[in-house]
């Protein structure tokens, strides 16, 4: 005995709408996941910029006098209010800092952070490079500004 199923009017339209909504959510989710760093930046009101090397940093008009010429894999994070003067930077380099940077007691800490960077609270001294406090990281340098009170006399 064969039973016939009765389809209510509008049933197919509801199913089709559900399919479209589900597809739209999947596409939106994939889009959000692919840009999760920018979404995270948007939510935290921060801007994270990546530069291949020191010349790319200079081309972006973000050159810092203390950044070694051999620097690569440069990451800079600032608040969206770029006029605040607050920033952190991480870079890979085998070079020493320029002689204009001087060692001083650490008297500040970064307001922003970058994942995987050294614990600055373990550093009792920093290299003061102008407005920046800089410490060695495993593969280069990690710096932040402002360096409140770090400037040696």
């Amino acid at each position: 005995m064969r039973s016939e199923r009765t389809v209510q009017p509008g049933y197919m339209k509801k199913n089709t709408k559900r399919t479209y909504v589900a597809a739209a959510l999947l596409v939106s989710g994939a889009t959000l996941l692919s840009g999760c760093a920018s979404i995270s930046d948007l939510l935290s009101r921060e801007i994270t910029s990546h530069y291949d090397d020191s010349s790319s940093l200079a081309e972006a008009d973000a050159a810092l006098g203390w950044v070694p010429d051999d620097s690569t894999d440069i990451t800079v994070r600032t608040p969206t209010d770029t006029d605040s003067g607050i920033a952190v930077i991480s870079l890979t380099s085998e070079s020493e800092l320029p002689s204009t940077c001087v060692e001083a007691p650490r008297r500040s800490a970064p307001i922003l952070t970058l994942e995987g960077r050294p614990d600055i609270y373990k550093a009792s001294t920093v290299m003061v490079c102008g407005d920046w406090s800089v410490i060695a990281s495993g593969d280069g340098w990690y710096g932040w500004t402002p360096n409140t009170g770090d400037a040696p006399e």
Side-chain angles (χ1 to χ4, degrees):
M1 174 179 232
R2 190 172 149 181
S3 71
E4 290 198 24
R5 186 172 168 197
T6 306
V7 177
Q8 297 175 347
Y11 176 79
M12 293 303 281
K13 287 182 183 175
K14 285 182 186 175
N15 253 358
T16 304
K17 285 181 185 176
R18 286 183 188 154
T19 302
Y20 287 135
V21 169
L25 288 173
L26 284 172
V27 169
S28 298
T31 302
L32 287 175
L33 288 175
S34 68
C36 64
S38 53
I39 295 298
S40 174
D41 284 354
L42 181 64
L43 293 175
S44 64
R45 304 186 96 157
E46 298 172 354
I47 300 167
T48 304
S49 304
H50 301 279
Y51 304 93
D52 291 333
D53 52 35
S54 59
S55 60
S56 300
L57 182 69
E59 287 173 15
D61 200 27
L64 304 171
W66 62 267
V67 172
D69 290 339
D70 73 337
S71 297
T72 59
D73 193 23
I74 303 168
T75 302
V76 178
R77 182 169 289 161
T78 61
T80 52
D81 171 17
T82 54
D83 293 334
S84 68
I86 297 169
V88 290
I89 186 171
S90 172
L91 56 93
T92 300
S93 172
E94 293 182 10
S95 295
E96 295 295 320
L97 295 173
S99 61
T100 55
C101 297
V102 294
E103 189 172 13
R106 182 188 60 79
R107 294 192 182 124
S108 67
I111 295 170
L112 305 172
T113 60
L114 289 171
E115 300 75 28
R117 296 296 87 197
D119 181 356
I120 62 99
Y121 294 103
K122 292 182 179 178
S124 59
T125 61
V126 297
M127 296 301 291
V128 176
C129 303
D131 294 334
W132 290 82
S133 292
V134 182
I135 61 173
S137 65
D139 56 357
W141 300 100
Y142 178 59
W144 64 90
T145 191
N147 61 358
T148 314
D150 275 346
E153 297 179 16

